Amino acid sequence: MTPATTPFEQMPRYVRVRSEADAAFVEFDFAIAYPDLFVELVLPRAAFERFCESNRVLHMDAAMAAAVDADMQKWRYGERHDEND
């Protein structure tokens, strides 16, 4: 199933933690269906854990995070910037 045909409740949810592991507040990116389309959120650690559990999130691995960063970088200044430029 593609995200367009998947019911909203079944779409994958992604989290990318941006804060330090021992921080009192967790800064993170949260995305539904498309890891590169996210909102930035901040929650106390206990609330973050409940949030992740209730949303059944998938934590982004290093490869997924790098792909999101690369996609953001190539469009950063309003025009496409390839690695070969």
Side-chain angles (χ1 to χ4, degrees):
M1 275 186 157
T2 63
T5 60
T6 302
F8 180 77
E9 298 80 20
Q10 295 177 4
M11 289 182 178
R13 289 156 169 80
Y14 302 97
V15 163
R16 179 181 184 184
V17 176
R18 300 256 186 196
S19 57
E20 298 295 322
D22 60 348
F25 289 90
V26 181
E27 299 173 30
F28 64 101
D29 300 339
F30 175 66
I32 299 174
Y34 302 95
D36 55 341
L37 184 61
F38 58 88
V39 294
E40 298 172 359
L41 300 171
V42 178
L43 289 173
R45 184 151 304 278
F48 171 73
E49 291 170 5
R50 287 191 304 272
F51 177 89
C52 290
E53 185 178 316
S54 66
N55 282 287
R56 300 177 317 278
V57 302
L58 303 170
H59 289 268
M60 285 192 202
D61 60 17
M64 185 180 280
V68 169
D69 289 346
D71 189 60
M72 288 176 56
Q73 187 63 31
K74 70 182 174 186
W75 299 103
R76 183 167 205 87
Y77 299 104
E79 59 187 65
R80 187 176 177 154
H81 292 276
D82 288 326
E83 293 175 11
N84 299 330
D85 286 348

Coordinates of all heavy atoms in Angstrom, one line a residue:
M1 N 0.8 -1.2 0.0 CA 0.0 0.0 0.0 C 0.9 1.2 0.0 O 1.8 1.3 0.7 CB -0.9 0.0 1.3 CG -2.1 -0.7 1.2 SD -3.1 -0.4 2.7 CE -4.7 -0.8 2.0
T2 N 0.5 2.2 -0.8 CA 1.2 3.5 -0.8 C 0.6 4.4 0.3 O -0.6 4.2 0.7 CB 1.1 4.2 -2.1 OG1 -0.2 4.4 -2.4 CG2 1.7 3.3 -3.2
P3 N 1.3 5.5 0.7 CA 0.7 6.4 1.7 C -0.6 7.0 1.2 O -1.5 7.2 2.1 CB 1.8 7.5 1.9 CG 3.0 6.7 1.6 CD 2.7 5.8 0.5
A4 N -0.8 7.2 -0.1 CA -2.1 7.7 -0.6 C -3.2 6.8 -0.4 O -4.4 7.2 -0.3 CB -1.9 8.1 -2.0
T5 N -3.0 5.5 -0.3 CA -4.1 4.5 -0.2 C -4.2 3.9 1.2 O -5.1 3.1 1.5 CB -4.0 3.4 -1.2 OG1 -2.7 2.7 -1.0 CG2 -4.1 3.9 -2.6
T6 N -3.2 4.2 2.1 CA -3.2 3.7 3.4 C -4.0 4.5 4.3 O -3.9 5.8 4.3 CB -1.7 3.7 4.0 OG1 -0.9 3.0 3.1 CG2 -1.7 3.1 5.4
P7 N -4.9 3.9 5.1 CA -5.7 4.7 6.0 C -4.8 5.5 7.0 O -3.7 5.0 7.4 CB -6.5 3.7 6.8 CG -6.5 2.5 5.9 CD -5.2 2.5 5.2
F8 N -5.2 6.7 7.4 CA -4.4 7.6 8.2 C -3.9 6.9 9.5 O -2.8 7.0 9.8 CB -5.2 8.8 8.6 CG -4.4 9.8 9.4 CD1 -3.4 10.6 8.9 CD2 -4.6 9.8 10.8 CE1 -2.7 11.4 9.7 CE2 -3.9 10.7 11.6 CZ -2.9 11.5 11.0
E9 N -4.8 6.1 10.1 CA -4.4 5.5 11.4 C -3.3 4.4 11.2 O -2.6 4.1 12.1 CB -5.6 4.8 12.0 CG -6.7 5.7 12.4 CD -7.6 6.1 11.2 OE1 -7.6 5.4 10.1 OE2 -8.3 7.1 11.3
Q10 N -3.1 3.9 10.0 CA -2.1 2.9 9.7 C -0.8 3.5 9.1 O 0.1 2.7 8.8 CB -2.7 1.8 8.8 CG -3.8 1.1 9.4 CD -4.4 0.1 8.5 OE1 -4.0 -0.1 7.4 NE2 -5.5 -0.6 8.9
M11 N -0.8 4.8 8.8 CA 0.4 5.4 8.2 C 1.5 5.3 9.2 O 1.3 5.6 10.4 CB 0.1 6.8 7.8 CG -0.7 6.9 6.6 SD -0.9 8.7 6.1 CE -2.0 8.5 4.7
P12 N 2.7 5.0 8.7 CA 3.9 5.0 9.7 C 4.2 6.4 10.2 O 4.0 7.4 9.5 CB 5.0 4.5 8.8 CG 4.6 4.8 7.4 CD 3.1 4.7 7.4
R13 N 4.6 6.4 11.4 CA 5.0 7.7 12.1 C 6.5 7.6 12.5 O 6.9 6.6 13.0 CB 4.1 7.9 13.3 CG 2.7 8.2 12.9 CD 1.7 7.9 14.1 NE 0.4 8.4 13.9 CZ -0.5 7.9 13.1 NH1 -0.2 6.8 12.4 NH2 -1.7 8.4 12.9
Y14 N 7.2 8.6 12.2 CA 8.6 8.7 12.4 C 9.1 9.7 13.4 O 8.5 10.8 13.4 CB 9.4 9.0 11.0 CG 9.0 8.0 9.9 CD1 8.0 8.3 9.0 CD2 9.7 6.8 9.8 CE1 7.7 7.4 8.0 CE2 9.4 5.9 8.8 CZ 8.4 6.2 7.9 OH 8.1 5.3 6.9
V15 N 10.1 9.4 14.2 CA 10.7 10.3 15.1 C 12.2 10.3 14.9 O 12.8 9.3 14.7 CB 10.3 9.9 16.6 CG1 11.3 10.5 17.6 CG2 8.9 10.2 16.9
R16 N 12.7 11.6 14.9 CA 14.1 11.8 14.9 C 14.5 12.7 16.1 O 14.1 13.8 16.1 CB 14.6 12.4 13.6 CG 16.0 12.7 13.5 CD 16.4 13.3 12.2 NE 17.8 13.5 12.1 CZ 18.4 14.1 11.1 NH1 17.6 14.6 10.1 NH2 19.7 14.3 11.0
V17 N 15.2 12.1 17.1 CA 15.5 12.9 18.3 C 16.7 13.8 17.9 O 17.7 13.3 17.3 CB 15.9 11.9 19.4 CG1 16.4 12.7 20.6 CG2 14.7 11.1 19.8
R18 N 16.6 15.0 18.3 CA 17.7 16.0 18.1 C 18.4 16.4 19.3 O 19.5 17.0 19.2 CB 17.0 17.2 17.4 CG 16.3 17.0 16.1 CD 17.1 17.4 15.0 NE 16.5 17.3 13.7 CZ 17.1 17.4 12.6 NH1 18.4 17.6 12.6 NH2 16.5 17.3 11.5
S19 N 17.9 16.2 20.5 CA 18.5 16.6 21.7 C 19.5 15.5 22.3 O 19.5 14.4 21.8 CB 17.4 16.9 22.8 OG 16.6 15.8 23.0
E20 N 20.2 15.9 23.3 CA 21.2 15.0 23.9 C 20.4 13.9 24.7 O 19.3 14.2 25.1 CB 22.1 15.8 24.9 CG 22.9 16.8 24.2 CD 23.9 16.2 23.2 OE1 24.5 15.1 23.6 OE2 24.2 16.8 22.2
A21 N 21.0 12.8 24.8 CA 20.3 11.6 25.5 C 19.9 11.9 26.9 O 18.9 11.4 27.4 CB 21.2 10.4 25.4
D22 N 20.6 12.8 27.6 CA 20.3 13.0 29.0 C 19.6 14.3 29.3 O 19.4 14.8 30.4 CB 21.6 13.0 29.9 CG 22.6 14.1 29.4 OD1 22.4 14.7 28.3 OD2 23.6 14.3 30.1
A23 N 19.1 15.0 28.2 CA 18.3 16.2 28.3 C 17.0 16.0 29.0 O 16.3 15.0 28.8 CB 18.2 16.9 27.0
A24 N 16.6 17.0 29.8 CA 15.3 16.9 30.5 C 14.1 17.0 29.5 O 13.1 16.4 29.7 CB 15.2 18.0 31.6
F25 N 14.3 17.8 28.5 CA 13.3 17.9 27.4 C 13.9 17.3 26.1 O 15.0 17.5 25.8 CB 13.0 19.4 27.2 CG 12.2 20.0 28.3 CD1 12.9 20.6 29.3 CD2 10.8 20.0 28.2 CE1 12.2 21.2 30.4 CE2 10.1 20.6 29.3 CZ 10.8 21.2 30.3
V26 N 13.0 16.6 25.4 CA 13.4 15.9 24.2 C 13.0 16.8 23.0 O 11.8 17.1 22.9 CB 12.8 14.5 24.1 CG1 13.2 13.8 22.8 CG2 13.1 13.7 25.3
E27 N 13.9 17.2 22.2 CA 13.7 17.9 21.0 C 13.7 16.9 19.9 O 14.6 16.1 19.8 CB 14.7 19.0 20.7 CG 14.8 20.0 21.8 CD 16.0 20.9 21.6 OE1 16.4 21.1 20.4 OE2 16.6 21.4 22.6
F28 N 12.6 16.9 19.1 CA 12.5 15.9 18.0 C 11.7 16.3 16.9 O 10.9 17.2 16.9 CB 11.9 14.6 18.6 CG 10.5 14.7 19.1 CD1 9.5 14.2 18.4 CD2 10.2 15.2 20.4 CE1 8.2 14.3 18.8 CE2 8.9 15.3 20.8 CZ 7.9 14.8 20.1
D29 N 11.9 15.6 15.7 CA 11.1 15.8 14.5 C 10.1 14.7 14.5 O 10.4 13.5 14.8 CB 12.0 15.7 13.3 CG 13.1 16.8 13.3 OD1 13.0 17.8 14.0 OD2 14.1 16.6 12.5
F30 N 8.9 15.0 14.1 CA 7.8 14.0 14.0 C 7.2 14.1 12.6 O 6.8 15.2 12.2 CB 6.7 14.3 15.1 CG 5.6 13.4 15.0 CD1 5.7 12.0 15.2 CD2 4.3 13.9 14.7 CE1 4.6 11.2 15.2 CE2 3.2 13.0 14.6 CZ 3.3 11.7 14.8
A31 N 7.1 12.9 12.0 CA 6.5 12.9 10.6 C 5.5 11.7 10.5 O 5.7 10.7 11.2 CB 7.7 12.7 9.6
I32 N 4.6 11.9 9.7 CA 3.6 10.9 9.4 C 3.7 10.6 7.9 O 3.5 11.5 7.0 CB 2.2 11.3 9.7 CG1 2.1 11.6 11.2 CG2 1.1 10.3 9.3 CD1 0.7 12.2 11.7
A33 N 4.0 9.3 7.6 CA 4.0 8.8 6.2 C 5.3 9.2 5.4 O 5.9 8.4 4.8 CB 2.8 9.1 5.4
Y34 N 5.7 10.5 5.5 CA 6.8 11.0 4.7 C 7.8 11.5 5.7 O 7.7 12.6 6.3 CB 6.3 12.1 3.8 CG 5.3 11.6 2.8 CD1 3.9 11.9 3.1 CD2 5.6 11.0 1.7 CE1 3.0 11.4 2.2 CE2 4.7 10.6 0.8 CZ 3.3 10.8 1.0 OH 2.3 10.4 0.2
P35 N 9.0 10.8 5.9 CA 10.0 11.3 6.9 C 10.5 12.6 6.6 O 11.0 13.3 7.6 CB 11.1 10.2 6.8 CG 10.5 9.1 6.1 CD 9.3 9.6 5.3
D36 N 10.5 13.1 5.4 CA 11.1 14.4 5.1 C 10.1 15.6 5.2 O 10.4 16.7 5.0 CB 11.6 14.4 3.6 CG 10.6 14.0 2.6 OD1 9.6 13.3 3.0 OD2 10.9 14.3 1.4
L37 N 8.9 15.3 5.6 CA 7.8 16.3 5.9 C 7.5 16.2 7.4 O 6.7 15.4 7.8 CB 6.6 16.1 5.0 CG 5.5 17.1 5.1 CD1 6.0 18.5 4.7 CD2 4.3 16.7 4.2
F38 N 8.1 17.0 8.2 CA 8.0 16.8 9.6 C 7.7 18.2 10.4 O 7.9 19.2 9.8 CB 9.3 16.2 10.2 CG 10.5 17.0 9.9 CD1 11.0 18.0 10.7 CD2 11.3 16.7 8.8 CE1 12.1 18.7 10.5 CE2 12.4 17.4 8.5 CZ 12.8 18.4 9.3
V39 N 7.3 18.0 11.6 CA 7.2 19.2 12.5 C 8.3 19.0 13.6 O 8.6 17.9 14.0 CB 5.8 19.3 13.1 CG1 4.8 19.7 12.1 CG2 5.4 18.1 13.9
E40 N 8.7 20.1 14.2 CA 9.7 20.0 15.3 C 8.9 20.2 16.6 O 8.1 21.1 16.7 CB 10.7 21.2 15.1 CG 11.6 21.0 13.9 CD 12.5 22.2 13.6 OE1 12.4 23.2 14.4 OE2 13.2 22.2 12.6
L41 N 9.1 19.3 17.5 CA 8.4 19.3 18.8 C 9.4 19.2 19.9 O 10.5 18.7 19.8 CB 7.4 18.2 18.8 CG 6.3 18.1 17.7 CD1 5.6 16.8 17.8 CD2 5.4 19.3 17.9
V42 N 8.9 19.6 21.1 CA 9.7 19.5 22.4 C 8.7 19.0 23.4 O 7.7 19.6 23.6 CB 10.3 20.9 22.8 CG1 11.1 20.7 24.1 CG2 11.2 21.4 21.7
L43 N 9.1 18.0 24.1 CA 8.3 17.4 25.2 C 9.2 17.0 26.4 O 10.4 16.6 26.2 CB 7.6 16.2 24.8 CG 6.4 16.4 23.8 CD1 5.9 15.0 23.4 CD2 5.3 17.1 24.5
P44 N 8.7 17.1 27.6 CA 9.5 16.5 28.7 C 9.7 15.0 28.4 O 8.9 14.4 27.7 CB 8.6 16.7 29.9 CG 7.6 17.8 29.6 CD 7.5 17.7 28.1
R45 N 10.7 14.4 28.9 CA 11.1 13.0 28.6 C 10.0 12.0 28.8 O 9.7 11.2 27.9 CB 12.3 12.6 29.4 CG 12.8 11.2 29.0 CD 14.2 11.0 29.2 NE 15.1 11.9 28.6 CZ 15.4 11.8 27.3 NH1 15.0 10.9 26.5 NH2 16.2 12.7 26.8
A46 N 9.3 12.1 30.0 CA 8.2 11.1 30.2 C 7.0 11.3 29.2 O 6.5 10.3 28.7 CB 7.6 11.3 31.6
A47 N 6.7 12.5 28.8 CA 5.7 12.8 27.8 C 6.1 12.3 26.5 O 5.3 11.8 25.7 CB 5.3 14.3 27.8
F48 N 7.4 12.5 26.1 CA 7.9 12.0 24.9 C 7.8 10.5 24.8 O 7.3 10.0 23.7 CB 9.4 12.4 24.7 CG 10.1 11.8 23.5 CD1 9.8 12.2 22.3 CD2 11.0 10.7 23.7 CE1 10.4 11.6 21.2 CE2 11.6 10.2 22.6 CZ 11.3 10.6 21.4
E49 N 8.1 9.8 25.9 CA 8.0 8.3 25.8 C 6.5 7.9 25.6 O 6.2 7.0 24.9 CB 8.6 7.7 27.1 CG 10.1 7.9 27.2 CD 10.7 7.6 28.5 OE1 10.0 7.1 29.4 OE2 11.9 7.8 28.6
R50 N 5.6 8.6 26.3 CA 4.2 8.3 26.1 C 3.7 8.6 24.7 O 3.0 7.8 24.0 CB 3.3 9.0 27.1 CG 3.4 8.5 28.5 CD 2.3 9.1 29.4 NE 2.4 10.5 29.5 CZ 3.1 11.3 30.3 NH1 3.9 10.7 31.2 NH2 3.0 12.6 30.3
F51 N 4.2 9.7 24.1 CA 3.9 10.1 22.8 C 4.3 9.0 21.8 O 3.6 8.6 20.9 CB 4.6 11.4 22.5 CG 4.4 11.9 21.1 CD1 3.4 12.7 20.7 CD2 5.4 11.6 20.1 CE1 3.2 13.2 19.4 CE2 5.2 12.1 18.8 CZ 4.1 12.9 18.5
C52 N 5.6 8.6 22.0 CA 6.1 7.5 21.1 C 5.3 6.2 21.2 O 5.0 5.6 20.1 CB 7.6 7.2 21.4 SG 8.7 8.6 20.9
E53 N 4.9 5.9 22.4 CA 4.1 4.6 22.6 C 2.8 4.8 21.9 O 2.3 3.9 21.2 CB 4.0 4.4 24.1 CG 3.3 3.0 24.4 CD 3.3 2.8 25.9 OE1 4.3 3.0 26.5 OE2 2.2 2.4 26.3
S54 N 2.1 5.9 22.2 CA 0.7 6.0 21.7 C 0.7 6.2 20.1 O -0.3 5.8 19.5 CB 0.0 7.2 22.3 OG 0.6 8.4 22.0
N55 N 1.8 6.7 19.6 CA 1.8 6.8 18.1 C 2.5 5.7 17.4 O 2.6 5.7 16.2 CB 2.5 8.2 17.7 CG 1.6 9.3 17.9 OD1 0.7 9.5 17.1 ND2 1.8 10.1 18.9
R56 N 3.0 4.7 18.2 CA 3.7 3.6 17.6 C 4.8 4.0 16.6 O 4.8 3.6 15.4 CB 2.7 2.6 16.9 CG 1.7 2.0 17.9 CD 0.7 1.1 17.2 NE 0.1 1.6 15.9 CZ -0.9 2.4 15.8 NH1 -1.4 3.0 16.8 NH2 -1.3 2.8 14.6
V57 N 5.6 4.9 17.0 CA 6.6 5.6 16.1 C 7.7 4.6 15.8 O 8.1 3.7 16.5 CB 7.2 6.8 16.8 CG1 6.2 7.9 17.1 CG2 8.1 6.5 17.9
L58 N 8.3 4.9 14.6 CA 9.6 4.3 14.2 C 10.7 5.3 14.3 O 10.5 6.4 13.8 CB 9.4 3.9 12.7 CG 8.3 3.0 12.3 CD1 8.2 2.9 10.8 CD2 8.5 1.6 12.9
H59 N 11.7 5.0 15.1 CA 12.8 5.9 15.2 C 13.7 5.8 14.0 O 14.1 4.8 13.5 CB 13.6 5.5 16.5 CG 12.9 5.8 17.7 ND1 13.0 7.0 18.4 CD2 12.0 5.1 18.5 CE1 12.2 7.0 19.5 NE2 11.6 5.9 19.5
M60 N 14.0 7.0 13.4 CA 14.8 7.1 12.2 C 16.2 6.6 12.6 O 16.8 6.9 13.6 CB 14.9 8.5 11.7 CG 13.7 9.0 11.1 SD 14.1 10.6 10.2 CE 12.5 11.3 10.1
D61 N 16.7 5.7 11.7 CA 18.1 5.3 11.8 C 19.0 6.3 11.1 O 18.6 7.3 10.5 CB 18.3 3.9 11.3 CG 18.0 3.7 9.8 OD1 17.9 4.8 9.1 OD2 17.8 2.6 9.4
A62 N 20.3 6.1 11.2 CA 21.3 7.1 10.7 C 21.1 7.2 9.1 O 21.2 8.3 8.6 CB 22.7 6.7 11.0
A63 N 20.9 6.1 8.5 CA 20.7 6.2 7.0 C 19.5 7.0 6.6 O 19.5 7.8 5.7 CB 20.6 4.8 6.4
M64 N 18.4 6.8 7.3 CA 17.1 7.5 7.0 C 17.3 9.0 7.3 O 16.9 9.9 6.5 CB 16.0 7.0 7.8 CG 14.6 7.6 7.4 SD 13.2 7.0 8.3 CE 12.9 5.5 7.4
A65 N 18.0 9.3 8.4 CA 18.2 10.7 8.8 C 19.1 11.4 7.8 O 18.9 12.6 7.4 CB 18.8 10.8 10.2
A66 N 20.1 10.7 7.3 CA 21.1 11.2 6.3 C 20.3 11.5 5.0 O 20.6 12.5 4.3 CB 22.2 10.3 6.1
A67 N 19.4 10.6 4.6 CA 18.6 10.8 3.4 C 17.7 12.1 3.5 O 17.6 12.9 2.5 CB 17.8 9.6 3.1
V68 N 17.1 12.3 4.6 CA 16.3 13.4 4.9 C 17.1 14.7 4.8 O 16.8 15.7 4.2 CB 15.5 13.3 6.2 CG1 14.9 14.6 6.6 CG2 14.5 12.2 6.2
D69 N 18.3 14.7 5.5 CA 19.2 15.8 5.5 C 19.7 16.2 4.0 O 19.7 17.3 3.7 CB 20.4 15.6 6.4 CG 20.1 15.6 7.8 OD1 19.0 16.1 8.2 OD2 20.9 15.1 8.6
A70 N 20.0 15.1 3.3 CA 20.5 15.4 1.9 C 19.4 16.0 1.1 O 19.6 16.9 0.3 CB 21.0 14.1 1.3
D71 N 18.2 15.5 1.2 CA 17.0 16.1 0.5 C 16.8 17.5 0.9 O 16.6 18.4 0.0 CB 15.8 15.2 0.7 CG 14.7 15.6 -0.3 OD1 14.9 15.5 -1.5 OD2 13.6 16.1 0.2
M72 N 16.9 17.8 2.1 CA 16.7 19.2 2.6 C 17.8 20.1 2.1 O 17.5 21.3 1.7 CB 16.7 19.3 4.1 CG 15.4 18.7 4.7 SD 15.4 18.7 6.5 CE 15.7 20.4 6.9
Q73 N 19.0 19.6 2.0 CA 20.1 20.4 1.6 C 20.0 20.8 0.1 O 20.3 21.9 -0.2 CB 21.4 19.7 1.9 CG 22.7 20.5 1.6 CD 22.8 21.7 2.5 OE1 22.4 21.7 3.6 NE2 23.4 22.8 2.0
K74 N 19.6 19.9 -0.7 CA 19.6 20.2 -2.1 C 18.5 21.2 -2.5 O 18.6 21.8 -3.6 CB 19.5 18.9 -3.0 CG 18.1 18.2 -2.9 CD 18.2 17.0 -3.8 CE 16.9 16.2 -3.6 NZ 17.0 14.9 -4.3
W75 N 17.5 21.5 -1.7 CA 16.5 22.5 -1.9 C 16.6 23.7 -1.0 O 15.8 24.6 -1.1 CB 15.1 21.8 -1.8 CG 14.9 20.7 -2.7 CD1 15.0 19.4 -2.4 CD2 14.6 20.8 -4.1 NE1 14.7 18.6 -3.6 CE2 14.5 19.5 -4.6 CE3 14.5 21.9 -5.0 CZ2 14.3 19.2 -6.0 CZ3 14.2 21.6 -6.3 CH2 14.1 20.3 -6.8
R76 N 17.6 23.8 -0.2 CA 17.7 24.8 0.9 C 17.6 26.2 0.3 O 17.0 27.1 1.0 CB 19.0 24.6 1.6 CG 19.2 25.6 2.8 CD 20.3 25.1 3.7 NE 20.2 25.6 5.0 CZ 19.5 25.0 5.9 NH1 18.9 23.9 5.7 NH2 19.4 25.6 7.1
Y77 N 18.2 26.5 -0.8 CA 18.3 27.9 -1.2 C 17.3 28.2 -2.4 O 17.5 29.1 -3.1 CB 19.7 28.3 -1.6 CG 20.6 28.2 -0.3 CD1 21.4 27.1 -0.2 CD2 20.5 29.1 0.7 CE1 22.2 26.9 0.9 CE2 21.3 28.9 1.8 CZ 22.2 27.9 1.9 OH 22.9 27.7 3.0
G78 N 16.3 27.4 -2.5 CA 15.3 27.6 -3.6 C 15.6 27.1 -4.9 O 14.9 27.3 -5.9
E79 N 16.8 26.5 -5.0 CA 17.1 25.8 -6.3 C 17.9 24.5 -6.0 O 18.4 24.4 -4.9 CB 18.0 26.7 -7.1 CG 19.3 27.2 -6.5 CD 20.1 28.2 -7.3 OE1 19.5 29.3 -7.5 OE2 21.1 27.8 -7.8
R80 N 17.8 23.6 -6.9 CA 18.5 22.3 -6.6 C 20.0 22.4 -6.7 O 20.6 23.0 -7.6 CB 18.0 21.4 -7.7 CG 18.4 20.0 -7.4 CD 17.8 19.0 -8.4 NE 18.4 17.7 -8.1 CZ 17.8 16.6 -8.4 NH1 16.6 16.6 -9.0 NH2 18.4 15.5 -8.1
H81 N 20.6 21.8 -5.6 CA 22.1 21.8 -5.6 C 22.5 20.3 -5.5 O 22.2 19.7 -4.5 CB 22.6 22.5 -4.3 CG 22.4 24.0 -4.3 ND1 23.2 24.8 -4.9 CD2 21.3 24.7 -3.9 CE1 22.8 26.0 -4.8 NE2 21.7 26.0 -4.2
D82 N 23.0 19.8 -6.6 CA 23.5 18.4 -6.6 C 24.9 18.4 -6.1 O 25.6 19.3 -6.1 CB 23.4 17.9 -8.1 CG 22.0 17.7 -8.6 OD1 21.2 17.3 -7.7 OD2 21.8 17.8 -9.8
E83 N 25.3 17.2 -5.7 CA 26.6 17.0 -5.2 C 27.7 17.2 -6.3 O 28.8 17.5 -6.1 CB 26.8 15.5 -4.7 CG 26.0 15.3 -3.5 CD 26.0 13.8 -3.0 OE1 26.9 13.1 -3.5 OE2 25.3 13.5 -2.1
N84 N 27.3 17.1 -7.6 CA 28.2 17.3 -8.7 C 28.4 18.7 -9.1 O 29.1 19.0 -10.0 CB 27.7 16.5 -9.9 CG 27.6 15.0 -9.6 OD1 28.4 14.5 -8.8 ND2 26.7 14.3 -10.2
D85 N 27.7 19.7 -8.5 CA 27.8 21.1 -8.8 C 29.1 21.6 -8.4 O 29.7 21.3 -7.5 CB 26.7 21.9 -8.2 CG 25.4 21.7 -8.9 OD1 25.4 21.1 -10.0 OD2 24.3 22.1 -8.4

